[in-house]
Amino acid sequence: AGKIADYVKGVNAPVINKKIVAFLENEIEFYEKGVERQEVETIQLYDVEDEMEDFMQAAISKQVDKLFRVLVIKPNTLITGNDNVIKEQISEAGFQIMAEEMVHLTEEEAKELYEHKKHQRNFEEIVQTMSSGVCDILLLSEEGEMKDFEHEFDVQEAEMVKTNDEDSDIRELAYRLFSFFFPTVYEKFKKTEKTLAIIRPQLLQQQKGEILEEITNARFTIGRQKEIKLTEQQMTKFYSLNEEISLPREFVEYMIR
């Protein structure tokens, strides 16, 4: 009747189902017996501005607890000797050089690192430039007093990417370069999140290989895997949200068969 009767915060199917059933029973009593409808006072489930801010913070995800920048000095710059000028600029800005690697990329490595640019017309040119000679890769951290550094390098000479960039492609490239060239430092500062994945019985028999491949392609590392047959008690304990909510019998039988 245009009034708030109940609400559920979050996507919680069992709770939603239970509340709908209870609501329908109340509606039947309203129509058949004239029992007064229960109304919930006006509520605000979330603040739109806070919701957007939380969303943006989640979008700018961090793989490490500290802010880093990766500076790539390209082969042509090393040949001309302009690399020293670039290093002076970053030093004057207050950056600390945490690590440095001189690397000659293969074409395949360059393609992998710059995969996000593969749809650009000049992708092959980028690959050729990055694999044409030795690159000087510097891992920079912002410590102590920093000066504003908004300098844009000539793309033919160098590029700097940071791990907190608002552009997801640049941010992803920063992490890719960081983990590729400085794996030891990356592992030290990396934030580790653990995810539990359960492959249900039917899919385990039919598509186990494909699912594991998808997990790997999504850049998850499988730390441990085990095949087990759940008992009904284990199933109920694991999936039940609380004692008042029971799992559908069909689901239980599907998971333990």
Side-chain angles (χ1 to χ4, degrees), residues 53-107:
E53 184 176 347
D54 291 344
F55 174 80
M56 291 306 297
Q57 286 300 321
I60 305 174
S61 58
K62 296 194 298 181
Q63 295 180 25
V64 293
D65 289 316
K66 190 175 179 181
L67 173 61
F68 291 95
R69 299 197 189 202
V70 180
L71 175 64
V72 179
I73 302 178
K74 301 181 179 180
N76 289 341
T77 310
L78 293 174
I79 294 172
T80 59
N82 287 341
D83 53 311
N84 291 326
V85 176
I86 293 173
K87 288 181 179 179
E88 286 178 10
Q89 290 173 337
I90 62 171
S91 178
E92 290 173 0
F95 289 104
Q96 302 294 317
I97 300 177
M98 291 194 65
E100 183 174 7
E101 290 287 339
M102 304 289 286
V103 182
H104 191 158
L105 294 172
T106 65
E107 285 193 18

Side-chain angles (χ1 to χ4, degrees), residues 195-199 215:
T195 301
L196 173 66
I198 297 177
I199 304 176
I215 291 173

